[in-house]
Each structure stands twice: as structure tokens, then as C-alpha cells.
Amino acid sequence: MYTDLFRSSSALRLLFISLCTCLCLFYANPSLAEDEPAPVGYLSLDPEIVTNYVTGNSSRIGFLRIAIELMVSDLAMIPEAEHHLPLMRAVIIDVIGKKDEAQIKSLTGREALRLEILKELRMALKSELGEDVIKDLFFTKYLYNT
């Protein structure tokens, strides 16, 4: 009977040491809250952007109306990004103005346009703010007319 108690107490000792080791390793790491990324925020470009694009017919002009939402990498960056809304609108209009009708009307062209606008906005804001602010860009409305 005493040998069973001795065997179980050594097993309990081993379990206790393992548990203590795990707890020490857990508390030796920085807090899990510090490892979490900052919450993202969203910035709407209001009012919607209405601009023109090149059509195949030189006597007609095409119009594009888009609503854009920007995913900002940190909520604290939204006021700084809002300060540069006129710059962002100018960049977007410039990129759209260089596109032709086929690029505006196709789904692959629309995705390429989204990615190009995202790239240009990131570059413009990085030069102004010194850091990457925009995480992603979404078209919430995309209407074209020729």
C-alpha cells in the first residue's frame, strides 16, 4: 500500500513540476493583449466620386460613379488620414482618368483599377505621413455610363 502511495506521489510530483514549468513559461511571455494588432477602422470617401474616362468614341465621354471605403490599419490614424482626403480624391480621379472604356467595364479591369488605386493611395499617404495607413480599399458602389 505504501509503495502505491509512493508511486502515485512521484507521479503527482512530476505532474506538479510540469504544471509549474508551463505556468512559468506562460507568465514569462508578454501579455497576450500586447501581441494583438491595433483594431482596424474604416474611412468613407464622401461624397461619392464622379469622374470621366476615355471611351472608344471620341465624340462621347464616359462617366464613372464610385463609392469607396478605406480600411485603415489603426483607428488612431483615421484623423490623420481624413486630413488628406483631398489628396486621396485627386489621386483616385487621376488614376481613373487614365483608364479606357474596356478597363472600366470589365470585372478584371475593375479589380485592376481597385489595386492600382490602392497602390497609389498607399504611396501618396506614405510620402505625407511616413507610414503605411491604408490596409485595403473597397468599392461599395461602381456605376458607369457611356
Side-chain angles (χ1 to χ4, degrees):
M1 177 161 180
Y2 289 112
T3 56
D4 289 338
L5 181 61
F6 179 72
R7 284 186 195 150
S8 65
S9 67
S10 72
L12 287 174
R13 253 189 256 140
L14 183 60
L15 179 65
F16 178 75
I17 291 171
S18 299
L19 181 63
C20 288
T21 305
C22 289
L23 287 174
C24 288
L25 291 174
F26 179 76
Y27 285 111
N29 288 334
S31 172
L32 294 177
E34 293 174 9
D35 293 340
E36 291 179 11
V40 296
Y42 292 91
L43 176 63
S44 178
L45 279 104
D46 286 326
E48 297 171 348
I49 296 175
V50 179
T51 188
N52 53 8
Y53 61 89
V54 180
T55 63
N57 186 349
S58 61
S59 64
R60 296 191 64 170
I61 211 164
F63 292 95
L64 178 64
R65 180 179 184 166
I66 56 174
I68 295 178
E69 299 286 329
L70 300 173
M71 180 189 288
V72 180
S73 58
D74 186 2
L75 282 173
M77 296 300 292
I78 288 179
E80 293 179 32
E82 282 179 335
H83 179 73
H84 295 286
L85 281 175
L87 171 66
M88 289 189 275
R89 294 178 75 80
V91 167
I92 292 166
I93 291 169
D94 184 50
V95 171
I96 292 170
K98 296 175 184 173
K99 301 299 175 191
D100 64 4
E101 184 175 15
Q103 292 170 317
I104 296 290
K105 288 185 174 183
S106 73
L107 289 175
T108 56
R110 180 170 70 180
E111 179 61 15
L113 176 65
R114 185 187 75 81
L115 293 175
E116 185 177 349
I117 291 172
L118 178 62
K119 182 183 103 177
E120 293 294 325
L121 286 177
R122 282 180 174 165
M123 287 182 2
L125 287 180
K126 180 138 182 143
S127 69
E128 291 296 320
L129 299 174
E131 60 183 298
D132 286 328
V133 176
I134 300 174
K135 192 171 184 173
D136 208 349
L137 176 142
F138 306 102
F139 292 144
T140 53
K141 183 184 287 185
Y142 191 91
L143 301 171
Y144 55 85
N145 186 14
T146 49

